[in-house]
Amino acid sequence: MGNVSSINDAYAWNITRIAEAFGLHRDTVRKRLKENQVKPVKKSKGVDLYALEDIGPALFSAEATNKSEDDYNPNKMAPKDRKDFFQSERERLKYETEIGELIPDGDYRLDLAATLKYLVSAFESLPDNLERRYKMSPESLEYIEAWADESRTYIYHGLLEVEPDVK
């Protein structure tokens, strides 16, 4: 008959098992456990066993904390890393364009122009439509026309403040 072991034994692993599970080299696992001062929870047959809850943060917190802002700044990268960075960005943009996440600048401008033309047309025809459909009083229509003119002017000035792309 086999031995009955505690469920907690399933969460206590040796360095070889940790390395296999996470796809790391045993020396890397040993080094990171030592750096993070992870102590074995027990020994089995002379081999140290480590608690799984301590292993994860010890193995992967080093990867997260070793990165600084400079690691992601292309101007401060080594030439090979900078080349790889821009190649990957070019591929990412190409992919996003292919799947429709990113649209070309010209298409965006045409869509924006069509939307703004429709909006201006709606503002210009609003008083006439209200007069025809709802028989509104001239005083109300004058107020609505003034409001529409103010809104169009506000949009116009907002668009003037947008800086054009420098190419």
Side-chain angles (χ1 to χ4, degrees):
M1 255 201 186
N3 293 338
V4 176
S5 59
S6 166
I7 189 73
N8 292 333
D9 290 344
Y11 300 113
W13 293 1
N14 64 25
I15 289 179
T16 302
R17 187 169 179 199
I18 295 167
E20 289 172 359
F22 293 106
L24 298 170
H25 194 275
R26 290 178 57 219
D27 292 339
T28 303
V29 171
R30 189 176 293 112
K31 176 183 159 200
R32 290 185 184 170
L33 292 176
K34 185 177 179 183
E35 285 174 353
N36 289 288
Q37 301 171 352
V38 176
K39 302 290 182 208
V41 291
K42 63 181 178 178
K43 281 191 178 233
S44 174
K45 299 177 186 172
V47 177
D48 290 334
L49 299 177
Y50 297 89
L52 195 55
E53 64 186 354
D54 299 333
I55 293 169
L59 291 181
F60 300 108
S61 67
E63 291 178 6
T65 56
N66 284 344
K67 300 289 183 186
S68 68
E69 285 294 318
D70 289 345
D71 292 336
Y72 301 106
N73 183 350
N75 295 329
K76 296 186 179 184
M77 291 179 179
K80 168 81 170 99
D81 294 338
R82 185 177 19 236
K83 176 185 171 255
D84 292 343
F85 171 79
F86 284 115
Q87 266 183 331
S88 70
E89 283 299 297
R90 192 173 297 119
E91 291 298 316
R92 181 183 62 82
L93 292 173
K94 218 183 290 181
Y95 171 72
E96 287 180 359
T97 303
E98 286 174 8
I99 64 170
E101 291 278 321
L102 190 66
I103 59 172
D105 192 34
D107 292 350
Y108 165 75
R109 290 177 188 271
L110 289 174
D111 289 347
L112 181 61
T115 303
L116 290 174
K117 284 177 188 176
Y118 175 79
L119 186 62
V120 168
S121 173
F123 277 131
E124 287 177 355
S125 62
L126 182 64
D128 295 335
N129 286 334
L130 291 174
E131 181 182 20
R132 234 179 289 121
R133 290 184 185 175
Y134 301 108
K135 312 277 190 259
M136 291 185 74
S137 67
E139 297 83 24
S140 298
L141 291 172
E142 286 178 9
Y143 173 78
I144 291 170
E145 189 171 1
W147 173 83
D149 289 342
E150 286 175 20
S151 298
R152 272 196 329 237
T153 305
Y154 177 78
I155 292 170
Y156 172 74
H157 288 297
L159 289 172
L160 288 179
E161 291 176 8
V162 174
E163 304 247 345
D165 295 336
V166 178
K167 294 191 179 196

